[in-house]
Amino acid sequence: MCVCVPVTSAVSSEVSWVSTMKADLSGFNIDAPRWDQGTFLGRVKHFFNITDPRTIFLPERELDWAKATVEKSRMGVVPPGTQVEQLLYAKKLYDSAFHPDTGEKMNVIGRMSFQVPGGMIITGFMLQFYRTMPAVIFWQWVNQSFNALVNYTNRNAACPTSVRQMALAYFTATTTAVATAVGMNMLTKRAPPLVGRWVPFAAVAAANCVNIPMMRQQELIQGISVKDRSHNEIGQSRRAAAVGITQVVISRITMAAPGMILLPIVMERLEKLHFMKRVRVLHAPLQVMLCGCFLIFMVPVACGLFPQECELPASYLEPELRDTIKAKYGELMPHVYFNKGL
């Protein structure tokens, strides 16, 4: 307990405010969203916070501290002297590094906070080395390997995926991306150079439509857990899984679109400048840097397109699940809720 001697009314007011914050800390709900998740802007602010790429460089002990702090706060056991800002920072680190379903620490490369550094390097090189077939195949393979790991890491963890299913998903998505890129490269050989520069995006979009559903196929087969407003599990729904996965596919394509569509136009014009022709070695680093500029904004924007905790009309669910809800809740539950993953 701190003993403060007020000197002025302003200082007295500030001390009183801090004391009130400390007194009310036991009732602080660390899982309550900091920003309104019912609005697009609120979700974008939330994902700007948790996809901060600086968090991937933090030591393990700091992440472990964040998890311990969040768990203690959930139990109402807040260490003396803890400030609200510390709890909010701990929640930021927890959300960026730990899976929302299992609470387990995610691998660094699969975290959404790694999307900017990982995505900018891979996308930049895909856009730079699009002319030769070996380069196209290699970078599409690298990109799909990265995407497969991200999709697996951010799946709805309530549905376990076997090694065989993951291998099949990885092979199918990689084959789709490479086949699309190679096929379109051959078709656009006589097209304007700019059209060729857009081939990587077409391949990425096509592969996302395969990679994500394949990596999360178990959710489509078994369904994902749907809950009531109080987070009580009701049952498993395949239709909810299909809705969630569709939203994730749209988000991922949106994440890549601005950089992979607009950047080729920018580079097409820059490369015609005299000084750019003299520094060809800098073209690839420049594309990587510009990709990073796009992704810093597009990662949170794309993740915020749809709420992570989705709301679905109960009438849309499978008939047997609707009957279960009606028997248990009557007509009092118009909607169910589920985690769509990222």
Side-chain angles (χ1 to χ4, degrees):
M1 181 178 72
C2 297
V3 179
C4 301
V5 180
V7 179
T8 64
S9 59
V11 173
S12 177
S13 175
E14 183 177 349
V15 169
S16 174
W17 178 79
V18 172
S19 299
T20 303
M21 291 284 283
K22 289 183 179 179
D24 293 342
L25 211 54
S26 58
F28 177 79
N29 182 5
I30 200 163
D31 290 313
R34 191 172 176 182
W35 297 278
D36 182 6
Q37 296 301 286
T39 67
F40 172 65
L41 183 58
R43 294 193 295 272
V44 170
K45 288 180 179 179
H46 169 72
F47 283 109
F48 255 118
N49 189 44
I50 69 171
T51 62
D52 183 348
R54 294 174 298 180
T55 60
I56 66 174
F57 300 107
L58 295 176
E60 294 293 307
R61 64 179 181 275
E62 191 162 351
L63 299 179
D64 294 336
W65 164 83
K67 182 178 182 180
T69 301
V70 168
E71 290 175 344
K72 288 177 182 177
S73 180
R74 285 171 175 167
M75 294 185 293
V77 184
V78 182
T82 302
Q83 300 290 325
V84 172
E85 289 77 10
Q86 291 175 294
L87 293 178
L88 293 176
Y89 178 66
K91 188 62 165 61
K92 168 183 177 172
L93 299 189
Y94 180 84
D95 287 343
S96 71
F98 295 88
H99 197 282
D101 290 337
T102 65
E104 294 179 358
K105 190 181 295 178
M106 297 182 287
N107 67 82
V108 175
I109 297 176
R111 297 174 195 169
M112 294 308 292
S113 52
F114 194 80
Q115 279 290 307
V116 172
M120 66 186 281
I121 294 170
I122 296 172
T123 305
F125 282 113
M126 274 198 301
L127 293 176
Q128 178 64 28
F129 303 111
Y130 67 95
R131 294 181 179 88
T132 65
M133 205 62 71
V136 168
I137 293 173
F138 175 75
W139 285 108
Q140 286 296 335
W141 169 73
V142 170
N143 185 52
Q144 289 313 309
S145 299
F146 176 61
N147 286 344
L149 184 56
V150 172
N151 295 336
Y152 175 75
T153 303
N154 293 280
R155 73 199 185 284
N156 183 307
C159 300
T161 305
S162 68
V163 175
R164 181 178 177 276
Q165 289 170 326
M166 285 191 290
L168 178 62
Y170 171 72
F171 175 78
T172 307
T174 304
T175 303
T176 301
V178 171
T180 303
V182 170
M184 293 193 69
N185 260 9
M186 295 177 68
L187 291 173
T188 57
K189 278 184 177 179
R190 296 183 180 180
L194 183 58
V195 176
R197 287 178 178 270
W198 282 329
V199 168
F201 173 67
V204 166
N208 270 322
C209 294
V210 175
N211 195 326
I212 297 170
M214 288 295 292
M215 287 301 294
R216 298 174 59 174
Q217 60 184 288
Q218 203 62 20
E219 298 174 37
L220 296 170
I221 296 170
Q222 296 183 354
I224 58 175
S225 175
V226 293
K227 303 177 181 180
D228 61 19
R229 188 177 289 275
S230 301
H231 302 287
N232 300 309
E233 186 172 342
I234 301 169
Q236 304 291 116
S237 171
R238 293 182 298 277
R239 292 185 179 181
V243 170
I245 289 173
T246 300
Q247 291 180 353
V248 171
V249 170
I250 294 171
S251 295
R252 294 292 183 81
I253 294 175
T254 302
M255 189 185 297
M260 298 191 80
I261 292 175
L262 298 178
L263 190 52
I265 299 175
V266 173
M267 291 302 298
E268 181 76 9
R269 296 189 176 183
L270 286 178
E271 289 176 3
K272 292 178 180 178
L273 299 178
H274 180 66
F275 81 94
M276 285 292 287
K277 292 179 180 179
R278 297 171 58 185
V279 289
R280 292 184 182 277
V281 70
L282 296 180
H283 290 190
L286 178 61
Q287 289 219 78
V288 169
M289 184 187 69
L290 291 176
C291 282
C293 294
F294 277 104
L295 286 174
I296 283 174
F297 295 98
M298 287 312 302
V299 169
V301 167
C303 289
L305 284 178
F306 307 100
Q308 185 168 356
E309 286 294 324
C310 286
E311 178 181 290
L312 191 66
S315 59
Y316 183 77
L317 300 173
E318 294 85 342
E320 60 272 17
L321 191 51
R322 291 202 305 266
D323 292 341
T324 300
I325 293 173
K326 190 171 183 180
K328 187 174 182 180
Y329 298 93
E331 302 295 338
L332 300 178
M333 185 182 293
H335 296 91
V336 295
Y337 305 87
F338 62 95
N339 172 25
K340 71 173 177 62
L342 290 175

